[in-house]
Amino acid sequence: MADQKLTEQIGYLIARANRLIEDDLARRLQPGGIAIEQFRVLKALEQDGPTPMGQLAEKVLVEPATLTKIIDRMVRESLVFRVPDEKDRRKVRIALAAAGVAMCRKLRDVSGDHEKHIAETFRDDQLQEMRRILSELGN
């Protein structure tokens, strides 16, 4: 197979699409003063409830050390709090604080509008196929 141009490589195309999608989401989150990583933390905790740091880092796609800094900031902003794990006191779970729950409610339309914006680019069958293909990449 001959060398492909950079702009035709699958990895490049995925990275480019990711940048466009994240730029749109960041723009939508800006009025709320929330960064994408914080938004993902809030959504993960809203969905899963109190979550161990390692599991949360994996789910929101950041390194554990980076997540610690994000959580420190979110604790200072009273969006989340740390709670000892019931089974192992050495472990810490992250939980939504009342302000975090309120922020999730406030951002619910942002998330839906962002997904709708992306989905409008594709037919339903294309969107389902893209979700299937991208989900299989990590398996």
Side-chain angles (χ1 to χ4, degrees), residues 10 13 22 26 33 36 43-44 48 50 58 61 66 75 89 94 96 99 106 110 122 133:
I10 292 171
L13 293 169
E22 288 205 342
I36 291 174
K43 295 301 284 182
D48 300 339
E58 205 171 290
L61 307 173
T66 302
V75 166
R89 294 292 213 190
I94 305 303
L96 279 178
K106 179 180 173 184
V110 169
F122 304 97
I133 290 168

Short mmCIF file of all heavy atoms in Angstrom, two decimals, residues 10 13 22 26 33 36 43-44 48 50 58 61 66 75 89 94 96 99 106 110 122 133:
data_model
loop_
_atom_site.label_atom_id
_atom_site.label_comp_id
_atom_site.label_asym_id
_atom_site.label_seq_id
_atom_site.Cartn_x
_atom_site.Cartn_y
_atom_site.Cartn_z
N ILE A 10 -6.67 7.61 8.65
CA ILE A 10 -7.80 7.45 9.56
C ILE A 10 -7.55 8.15 10.89
O ILE A 10 -8.43 8.85 11.40
CB ILE A 10 -8.13 5.96 9.77
CG1 ILE A 10 -8.68 5.39 8.46
CG2 ILE A 10 -9.14 5.77 10.90
CD1 ILE A 10 -8.85 3.89 8.46
N LEU A 13 -8.02 11.85 10.46
CA LEU A 13 -9.42 12.21 10.27
C LEU A 13 -10.20 12.14 11.58
O LEU A 13 -11.04 13.01 11.87
CB LEU A 13 -10.07 11.31 9.22
CG LEU A 13 -9.53 11.51 7.79
CD1 LEU A 13 -10.04 10.40 6.87
CD2 LEU A 13 -9.91 12.88 7.26
N GLU A 22 -15.00 18.90 19.85
CA GLU A 22 -14.66 19.48 21.15
C GLU A 22 -14.70 21.01 21.11
O GLU A 22 -15.08 21.64 22.10
CB GLU A 22 -13.32 18.95 21.65
CG GLU A 22 -13.44 17.51 22.10
CD GLU A 22 -12.42 17.10 23.12
OE1 GLU A 22 -11.38 17.79 23.26
OE2 GLU A 22 -12.65 16.08 23.78
N ALA A 26 -16.91 23.05 23.70
CA ALA A 26 -16.28 24.08 24.54
C ALA A 26 -17.00 25.42 24.38
O ALA A 26 -17.23 26.13 25.36
CB ALA A 26 -14.80 24.23 24.18
N GLY A 33 -19.07 28.52 32.30
CA GLY A 33 -17.77 28.54 32.96
C GLY A 33 -17.22 27.16 33.28
O GLY A 33 -16.42 27.00 34.20
N ILE A 36 -14.49 21.24 29.34
CA ILE A 36 -14.97 19.95 28.84
C ILE A 36 -14.70 18.83 29.84
O ILE A 36 -15.57 17.99 30.09
CB ILE A 36 -14.34 19.62 27.47
CG1 ILE A 36 -14.89 20.56 26.41
CG2 ILE A 36 -14.59 18.17 27.09
CD1 ILE A 36 -14.22 20.43 25.06
N LYS A 43 -21.11 14.68 34.15
CA LYS A 43 -22.00 13.75 33.46
C LYS A 43 -21.77 12.32 33.93
O LYS A 43 -22.73 11.56 34.12
CB LYS A 43 -21.82 13.85 31.94
CG LYS A 43 -22.22 15.17 31.34
CD LYS A 43 -23.66 15.55 31.59
CE LYS A 43 -24.60 14.78 30.71
NZ LYS A 43 -26.01 15.16 30.90
N ALA A 44 -20.52 11.93 34.13
CA ALA A 44 -20.20 10.57 34.59
C ALA A 44 -20.76 10.34 35.98
O ALA A 44 -21.35 9.29 36.27
CB ALA A 44 -18.70 10.33 34.56
N ASP A 48 -23.43 7.61 37.00
CA ASP A 48 -22.96 6.44 37.76
C ASP A 48 -23.00 6.60 39.27
O ASP A 48 -22.81 5.63 39.99
CB ASP A 48 -21.52 6.10 37.36
CG ASP A 48 -21.39 5.76 35.88
OD1 ASP A 48 -22.42 5.41 35.25
OD2 ASP A 48 -20.27 5.86 35.35
N PRO A 50 -21.44 8.08 42.99
CA PRO A 50 -20.06 8.17 43.51
C PRO A 50 -19.16 7.11 42.87
O PRO A 50 -19.52 5.94 42.79
CB PRO A 50 -20.24 7.92 45.01
CG PRO A 50 -21.65 8.38 45.28
CD PRO A 50 -22.43 8.00 44.05
N GLU A 58 -10.63 6.84 33.89
CA GLU A 58 -10.80 6.03 32.70
C GLU A 58 -12.04 6.46 31.91
O GLU A 58 -12.00 6.61 30.70
CB GLU A 58 -10.93 4.56 33.12
CG GLU A 58 -10.54 3.57 32.07
CD GLU A 58 -10.51 2.17 32.65
OE1 GLU A 58 -9.61 1.88 33.47
OE2 GLU A 58 -11.41 1.39 32.29
N LEU A 61 -11.66 9.94 30.24
CA LEU A 61 -10.55 9.99 29.27
C LEU A 61 -9.41 10.93 29.67
O LEU A 61 -8.88 11.66 28.82
CB LEU A 61 -11.08 10.35 27.87
CG LEU A 61 -12.22 9.49 27.33
CD1 LEU A 61 -12.76 10.07 26.03
CD2 LEU A 61 -11.79 8.05 27.17
N THR A 66 -3.98 14.07 36.16
CA THR A 66 -4.74 15.20 35.63
C THR A 66 -6.11 15.27 36.29
O THR A 66 -6.59 16.35 36.63
CB THR A 66 -4.89 15.07 34.10
OG1 THR A 66 -3.58 15.02 33.52
CG2 THR A 66 -5.66 16.23 33.51
N VAL A 75 -13.76 20.57 43.67
CA VAL A 75 -14.03 20.59 45.12
C VAL A 75 -14.04 22.04 45.60
O VAL A 75 -14.93 22.46 46.33
CB VAL A 75 -13.01 19.73 45.90
CG1 VAL A 75 -13.07 20.01 47.39
CG2 VAL A 75 -13.23 18.24 45.62
N ARG A 89 -11.12 2.10 53.13
CA ARG A 89 -10.98 3.50 53.55
C ARG A 89 -9.80 4.21 52.89
O ARG A 89 -9.71 5.44 52.90
CB ARG A 89 -10.83 3.60 55.08
CG ARG A 89 -12.07 3.16 55.82
CD ARG A 89 -13.13 4.15 55.57
NE ARG A 89 -14.01 4.30 56.72
CZ ARG A 89 -15.12 4.97 56.67
NH1 ARG A 89 -15.46 5.56 55.57
NH2 ARG A 89 -15.88 5.07 57.72
N ILE A 94 -15.57 9.91 44.29
CA ILE A 94 -15.97 11.28 44.01
C ILE A 94 -17.48 11.29 43.83
O ILE A 94 -18.04 10.44 43.13
CB ILE A 94 -15.27 11.82 42.74
CG1 ILE A 94 -13.75 11.67 42.85
CG2 ILE A 94 -15.67 13.27 42.48
CD1 ILE A 94 -13.13 12.35 44.06
N LEU A 96 -21.18 13.88 43.44
CA LEU A 96 -21.72 15.20 43.10
C LEU A 96 -22.20 15.92 44.36
O LEU A 96 -22.89 15.33 45.19
CB LEU A 96 -22.93 15.05 42.18
CG LEU A 96 -22.67 14.83 40.70
CD1 LEU A 96 -24.01 14.65 39.97
CD2 LEU A 96 -21.89 15.97 40.10
N ALA A 99 -24.34 21.70 44.27
CA ALA A 99 -24.04 22.63 43.17
C ALA A 99 -23.71 21.87 41.89
O ALA A 99 -24.01 22.34 40.78
CB ALA A 99 -22.88 23.54 43.55
N LYS A 106 -28.44 22.47 34.65
CA LYS A 106 -28.22 23.67 33.84
C LYS A 106 -27.61 23.30 32.48
O LYS A 106 -27.94 23.92 31.46
CB LYS A 106 -27.29 24.63 34.59
CG LYS A 106 -26.94 25.89 33.87
CD LYS A 106 -26.02 26.73 34.72
CE LYS A 106 -25.51 27.94 33.97
NZ LYS A 106 -24.55 28.71 34.75
N VAL A 110 -27.36 21.89 26.95
CA VAL A 110 -26.10 22.05 26.22
C VAL A 110 -25.69 20.70 25.63
O VAL A 110 -25.35 20.59 24.46
CB VAL A 110 -24.99 22.60 27.13
CG1 VAL A 110 -23.63 22.51 26.46
CG2 VAL A 110 -25.29 24.03 27.54
N PHE A 122 -25.43 13.65 9.78
CA PHE A 122 -25.53 12.29 9.27
C PHE A 122 -26.98 11.81 9.20
O PHE A 122 -27.83 12.29 9.94
CB PHE A 122 -24.76 11.34 10.19
CG PHE A 122 -23.33 11.72 10.38
CD1 PHE A 122 -22.94 12.45 11.50
CD2 PHE A 122 -22.37 11.37 9.45
CE1 PHE A 122 -21.62 12.82 11.69
CE2 PHE A 122 -21.05 11.74 9.62
CZ PHE A 122 -20.67 12.46 10.74
N ILE A 133 -18.85 1.48 14.87
CA ILE A 133 -17.45 1.39 14.46
C ILE A 133 -16.53 2.01 15.51
O ILE A 133 -15.53 1.41 15.92
CB ILE A 133 -17.24 2.07 13.09
CG1 ILE A 133 -17.91 1.24 11.99
CG2 ILE A 133 -15.76 2.27 12.80
CD1 ILE A 133 -18.01 1.95 10.65
#
